[in-house]
Structures are given as structure tokens and as C-alpha cells.
Amino acid sequence: MNLIKRLARKEYIPLYIGMALMSVFVAFSLFPSLFAPYHPKEMFAAWQGVSAAHLLGTNDIGYDIFSELVYASSTTLIVGITAALVSLLIGSAIGIMAGFLSGWKGEILDGIVNVFLLIPMLPMAIVVAAYLGPGLNNIILVIAVLGWCATARAVRAKTKQLKQTPFVESLVILGIPKRQIMLKHIFPNLTEIALAKYIMSVGSFMLMEAALSFLGLGDPTKVTWGGMINLAYKCGGFSKGALNWYLPPGICIAMCVLAFFCVNYYFEKKALQVDGDKRSYLD
Amino acid sequence: MKPTVRRIVTSILCLVVVIILNFLLPRMMPGDPVLMLTGIDEDAISQAQYEMYKEKLGLDRPLIEQFADYISDLSGGNLGYSYHYKDTVANIMAQRVPATLQVAIPTIIISSLCALFLGYITGYRKNSKLDTLLTSSFIVVHAVPSFLLAMIMVTVFAYHLGWFPLGGLSSIRVPDSAFLAFLDRLKHLVLPVTTLTIASVPGKYLLLRNITAAAKDDKYVIYARARGLSEKRIIFVHILRNTVQPFITMVGLNVGFIIAGSMIIENIFSINGMGTLIYQATSSRDFPTLQGCLFITALAVVIANIITDIICVAIDPKVRYGVYESD
């Protein structure tokens, strides 16, 4: 009884919502054939509306939209998760060094982070993605290489804070090498912020991928939600008012991103309770 | 280096990085730079043509010389030539940028004011019912891609309700009198500006809420409360004045985000701005135009940042003494 009461507490609501949404999409991407009634490339009559045979109708060349939706979820998740992982690695490495090193090395890294924060990300990503050409790996690369600065900024701020704590000061006085202090003593204290930023980046990178695919820069061989909306827009689904074609992929993107935001919201509240810090990592 | 000088140097460095990348990308990426910069297919180009373009673009000379040329071209306002549109990129930009700015500038103003108002109120009353409601609904809105929002807006308010026009920036027949033409333009701008405002408020709101929540326990706030000042006065006179620097900086940083957002939604509202240009340029692989868009956006961001930095120095003495640098 006590356990049920504890699990039903109000603060868990965002976590539950996030987990529930996330598990739906993870299930979609792990076992698409279980959920999708048809293969995504199976053709039926085009421009069908909502019916029992086709839950969300068919598109202009007769693909079943619901099946496409299910098969597309893995691509979006993969892009978000891998790109965020790469950017986490770059961001935390540069962030720690920019925050901890002093002198010209620190100045230069600090400057690099500040300059990258200013670069308008979407136009940059569009140009680089256009040059690299379509392909899933290229999209991941572009997003990761341009998106690490938010992580770096948060890690840098926290490292600067930690640098002034007595335990780091005493390590410096003891003559412990800088690399050891950064990796063994500061890094473990950064896991919370790194995790929060990672979850946040997964969400925002999925949005980024959707925007790039919507602009037609996605991988044409893979079905993605952004790509589906792009097709619906290009092939007249939008101007014909085929709601069943262009709304569901967009809602899927929003739900999937929301799942990650919710989980982050919960973890952050937890971290703030422990830390007594008032800053949120949601921005 | 003084903190303000450092920030202005950072802004200028950002522009330099974008220029260098713009220069290097076509020359370093896999593929032939001649084909990339002209946008001609490999099979469609003859050997003589290839040589001519190569010489014209200066691709046969050393990289340093090319870069010097590139910089002198840029400083003269020459952004390159789009073989797809058969026009200079600067000309194309001059036609397209005003439309984007007409969407972006009102959005920047309206969304900043909305975020300011809501963020400061809920930040001051963190964990109240209003705060929980607003913050959770903004987190939901934050997750919605802007193009979906734009499509929903058009479907509901233009298709079904017919309150606003479907797209474009003015009616096919623009009214004669200047006032009616202005009203017509306003009517066309309502939907795109609202969409972009809704898409850009959450990020700013969350940031401002954080700033206010962190400031509300400062001593000056406690004193103000002890003096019996009204909540409104404490929030919008005392806290706002003390936290105005991060707010102004945020508005400056937001310029790039909003221009990028405008690029995404312009297609849906059929506005002939940079966004539609980017859409067409990506499908026709028109690289000079894409790079022009990137350069213009970066330029706008850098100018906005320098202006906001100067405003900060002018109105906030704390910036002059570098109080915020410890953050």
C-alpha cells in the first residue's frame, strides 16, 4: 500500500508520461513489423481516407501512412540518440577544459565555445548538409558537430563552480596533475548536468532532424517523420487538406520530443532538490 | 581585455568563422568545386565550359589568393553568382530579405515582450499553480516543430474559418491607398507572426523564469518586500532592472533563432523570403545562394549582438564593471 502511495506521488507524473511515450516509440522502432499492418513499401490505392483497413489512409503513391509512421520512428530516434551522444562527448570534453584550464589554453577554448554559440545553427546545418549530400550519417554528423555548444556551456559553468570548491583547491595544492583532477575528480561531479543536457539534446536534435528533413535535406532512402511532412507538402497533401497525411508525423515528432523533455523535467527537479541550485537546464 | 570588448570581439570572430567556412566548404568537400559552385551536372558540362568556369571562379589559383579575392569581393558586397537564378546572390538577397524581416522583426518584439511578462511573473511565484500550468504547457509547445504549428494554423484559421488569407504577403490586387495596403499587409502577417511567436516564446520564457527565480531571493528583493511594495512593482521595477542585462543579451541571441524559424515556416505561408529561397536552393543544389543566406543570417546575428552589447553597457553599470563575468 505504501509503495503504491509513493509511486503515485505527483512529482512522478512527468516521469511516467515521458516513460510511457518513450516506450511506445522504442517499441515501434524495435519491432516495427508487430505494430505496422503493412510493409512501408506496399502499395494500395492512393489518396484513401481514414478507414479500418488503413488507420490513417494512404498517401499519393498508395503507401499506408500508419505503417510508414511506425517504420520511421527508428530513424528519428537513432539520429537523436547518436547525434546527442557525439555532441555530449565533444561538449563535455571542451566544456571541462574551457572551465578548468587557465591561461591562454583556457581563453582559446572559452572563445571557441562562445563563437560557436553565436553561429546560427539551422542555416549552418542546411549549408553543411547540402554540401555533404543526403544520408543518415551525414545528418547525424552535421547535427552533432554543430550542436555541442549548449552542453559545453553548461559543463563549463559547472566546472568553473567546482574549480572554486575546497576539494579541488586542495587537489591543486597537492600537485595532482591537471588531467587527473579533471577526469577523476571533476568529471564524476558533472554526470548529472551531462545527463540532463544529453536528454535535452536528444529532444532538440530530433526537432533539428525533422526541420532538415522537412527542408528536403534528409535521407531520401529512409522514411522519416520530417521527410513524410515534406512529401505531403510537396505532393499536394497539404494543399488538398489531407489532414491524415501531414498531421500524424508532426504529432509523432512532438510526442517523441515531449517524452524526452518530460523525463528531463523530472530528473532536473530531483537534481535541484539535492543541489539546492535554482538553475534549470531546460533552456 | 574588458568583458564588453571581449564580447564584441567574439561576435566579430563568429562572422569570421562563418566567412572562412563559407570559403572552405565548396573547396574542401567531396565533389568538384566547379560543379558545386555553378550547379551544373557533370554530364551537361563540356571540357571548354569547365575550363572557362574554373578560370572565372579563380579555382585554378592557390588557395591563399582565392581567399584574398573572396574577402575583397565580400567587402564590396559581392556574395557570388547564382547560376541557377542567373543573377548575383546580392541581388537575390535584396529581393528576399525584406520579406523575412517583416516576419522576423515583429516576432522578435512581440515574443520578447510576452516572454518577459510571463517569465518574470511565474519566476517570482515559482511552484505556484500558475507557474506549473504555464511551464508545463510551454514545455509541450516547445516540443512541437514550428512547421507543424504553421500547418495547423493555416488549416484552422485560413482553410476552415477563413479569417486570414492562405498565404503570401499581400493580396493579388493591392488596394490603392497606402493605409488600406498597410492593413492588407498586416492581415497577411498575422498568421506567420503568431506562429513564430508561439514557437519562440517557450525557450525565452523558461530562461527568464530561471533568471527571476534565482534573483527573487536576493537581499534587495527581501528589502523591497519588507518596505511593503506591491508585487508588480517589485517584479517590474526592482527585479527587471537588476536582471535586464541577461534579458537584452537573450533578445540579441534570439535574432538568429527567429530568422531560422522564419526560414522554416515561410514555405507554408508562401512568403517569398529567404526561407522559400533556401527551400528552392536545396532542391536545386544552388550552393552560392545557400551560402548567401547563411552569411546574411550570421551578419544579422552579429549586428544584433553588437547592438545589444552596446545597449547593455549604456544602461547597466554592472556590465561595465564585469559583474556578470563570474557566472
Side-chain angles (χ1 to χ4, degrees):
Chain A
M1 211 49 213
N2 241 341
L3 185 72
I4 294 173
K5 236 182 209 166
R6 260 183 60 200
L7 286 178
R9 266 203 308 232
K10 220 170 138 190
E11 56 183 281
Y12 287 120
I13 293 175
L15 182 69
Y16 290 151
I17 298 176
M19 288 303 216
L21 284 173
M22 224 186 261
S23 47
V24 170
F25 289 112
V26 169
F28 273 9
S29 39
L30 286 182
F31 314 105
S33 46
L34 273 185
F35 296 94
Y38 309 100
H39 190 265
K41 295 278 174 265
E42 217 172 314
M43 294 232 236
F44 304 94
W47 294 109
Q48 285 186 53
V50 176
S51 65
H54 299 282
L55 279 179
L56 291 168
T58 57
N59 68 9
D60 65 328
I61 35 178
Y63 292 159
D64 182 60
I65 291 170
F66 182 70
S67 309
E68 268 199 317
L69 269 188
V70 172
Y71 276 92
S73 53
S74 65
T75 323
T76 313
L77 277 177
I78 286 173
V79 170
I81 289 170
T82 9
L85 198 64
V86 177
S87 88
L88 177 75
L89 291 178
I90 306 176
S92 43
I94 292 185
I96 288 190
M97 288 197 279
F100 189 77
L101 296 178
S102 48
W104 61 273
K105 284 181 208 154
E107 291 269 312
I108 288 178
L109 286 169
D110 223 37
I112 291 176
V113 175
N114 288 339
V115 166
F116 263 85
L117 276 169
L118 274 183
I119 292 179
M121 192 171 159
L122 185 82
M124 193 73 190
I126 290 172
V127 171
V128 179
Y131 271 115
L132 281 176
L136 206 57
N137 293 338
N138 290 344
I139 295 278
I140 293 174
L141 192 73
V142 168
I143 296 177
V145 167
L146 293 173
W148 54 269
C149 26
T151 317
R153 183 174 57 176
V155 168
R156 181 181 66 182
K158 184 82 184 168
T159 313
K160 276 187 178 164
Q161 252 178 37
L162 285 170
K163 200 185 166 186
Q164 270 145 22
T165 52
F167 88 91
V168 177
E169 273 175 358
S170 39
L171 287 170
V172 174
I173 294 167
L174 280 173
I176 310 278
K178 276 180 188 161
R179 195 198 306 167
Q180 198 179 334
I181 300 180
M182 283 193 278
L183 287 177
K184 274 200 168 157
H185 302 279
I186 292 189
F187 189 69
N189 285 297
L190 293 170
T191 40
E192 243 162 43
I193 205 166
L195 184 72
K197 271 288 158 197
Y198 175 73
I199 298 175
M200 241 353 238
S201 321
V202 176
S204 43
F205 288 176
M206 286 192 300
L207 276 178
M208 187 86 176
E209 188 271 338
L212 286 178
S213 314
F214 173 70
L215 290 173
L217 288 163
D219 190 338
T221 58
K222 296 240 169 27
V223 198
T224 62
W225 292 326
M228 285 172 75
I229 301 183
N230 177 38
L231 268 187
Y233 178 76
K234 251 205 296 217
C235 303
F238 177 54
S239 46
K240 281 188 190 169
L243 282 175
N244 58 323
W245 189 5
Y246 67 80
L247 273 188
I251 292 170
C252 278
I253 297 169
M255 288 296 158
C256 203
V257 175
L258 186 63
F260 282 90
F261 283 8
C262 279
V263 171
N264 188 45
Y265 185 75
Y266 168 78
F267 277 129
E268 182 189 292
K269 261 199 166 163
K270 272 271 114 127
L272 296 191
Q273 277 171 9
V274 178
D275 229 16
D277 200 352
K278 287 187 202 71
R279 289 198 94 111
S280 158
Y281 318 128
L282 267 177
D283 47 67
Chain B
M1 236 191 305
K2 276 173 95 178
T4 10
V5 178
R6 179 197 300 253
R7 298 178 53 134
I8 291 175
V9 169
T10 308
S11 309
I12 294 169
L13 273 181
C14 164
L15 194 63
V16 172
V17 168
V18 169
I19 291 174
I20 292 176
L21 281 177
N22 254 348
F23 171 76
L24 285 183
L25 275 173
R27 291 166 178 85
M28 295 290 157
M29 283 291 170
D32 193 317
V34 176
L35 300 180
M36 280 189 170
L37 286 173
T38 51
I40 303 173
D41 267 340
E42 201 174 353
D43 330 321
I45 197 166
S46 70
Q47 191 61 34
Q49 266 177 324
Y50 185 88
E51 293 301 327
M52 187 207 45
Y53 280 127
K54 192 165 183 174
E55 207 198 317
K56 210 172 164 190
L57 291 164
L59 288 167
D60 47 350
R61 283 177 298 150
L63 214 56
I64 302 288
E65 255 178 63
Q66 287 182 42
F67 189 63
D69 273 3
Y70 188 75
I71 297 291
S72 66
D73 274 359
L74 263 187
S75 53
N78 180 359
L79 294 175
Y81 187 84
S82 161
Y83 288 89
H84 181 73
Y85 288 98
K86 310 234 178 330
D87 200 352
T88 61
V89 175
N91 275 345
I92 305 170
M93 286 293 148
Q95 290 161 15
R96 301 299 192 110
V97 171
T100 301
L101 287 185
Q102 279 178 46
V103 180
I105 290 175
T107 310
I108 293 169
I109 298 170
I110 297 172
S111 66
S112 303
L113 289 179
C114 282
L116 173 83
F117 187 69
L118 297 173
Y120 274 83
I121 287 183
T122 54
Y124 188 72
R125 296 186 214 152
K126 205 173 176 186
N127 295 332
S128 67
K129 271 204 179 117
L130 180 75
D131 172 46
T132 320
L133 181 75
L134 269 179
T135 307
S136 35
S137 46
F138 272 132
I139 289 176
V140 174
V141 175
H142 204 31
V144 179
S146 52
F147 48 89
L148 177 71
L149 207 62
M151 284 175 157
I152 294 173
M153 285 290 217
V154 171
T155 316
V156 175
F157 293 106
Y159 269 140
H160 290 289
L161 294 174
W163 291 353
F164 297 104
L166 280 168
L169 269 186
S170 43
S171 308
I172 297 166
R173 212 176 295 144
V174 184
D176 288 333
S177 79
F179 179 67
L180 284 178
F182 176 69
L183 278 188
D184 182 63
R185 177 60 53 91
L186 221 52
K187 206 175 159 192
H188 282 81
L189 279 177
V190 170
L191 278 186
V193 170
T194 321
T195 310
L196 208 50
T197 304
I198 296 175
S200 64
V201 161
K204 294 200 248 188
Y205 162 85
L206 290 170
L207 186 74
L208 289 177
R209 174 176 165 268
N210 271 340
I211 291 171
T212 324
K216 79 170 179 181
D217 291 335
D218 278 356
K219 279 187 185 136
Y220 69 90
V221 182
I222 299 172
Y223 279 133
R225 222 181 289 157
R227 277 160 62 204
L229 298 182
S230 71
E231 201 172 70
K232 227 188 290 169
R233 201 176 156 79
I234 297 176
I235 298 174
F236 290 109
V237 176
H238 294 243
I239 298 183
L240 179 60
R241 208 183 264 178
N242 275 289
T243 53
V244 76
Q245 190 264 346
F247 170 70
I248 293 177
T249 313
M250 183 207 70
V251 174
L253 282 175
N254 220 244
V255 169
F257 179 80
I258 288 183
I259 292 181
S262 169
M263 285 175 179
I264 297 177
I265 64 160
E266 269 171 23
N267 282 301
I268 295 156
F269 292 106
S270 355
I271 295 169
N272 252 337
M274 268 203 283
T276 4
L277 188 65
I278 282 190
Y279 192 77
Q280 291 152 1
T282 49
S283 45
S284 56
R285 307 268 147 195
D286 181 4
F287 293 106
T289 309
L290 280 180
Q291 294 194 322
C293 290
L294 172 63
F295 177 74
I296 294 281
T297 321
L299 193 65
V301 171
V302 168
I303 291 173
N305 265 292
I306 292 177
I307 291 175
T308 49
D309 284 345
I310 292 172
I311 294 177
C312 281
V313 174
I315 62 169
D316 191 347
K318 281 199 279 185
V319 180
R320 268 169 268 163
Y321 296 103
V323 171
Y324 296 104
E325 285 308 296
S326 57
D327 192 8

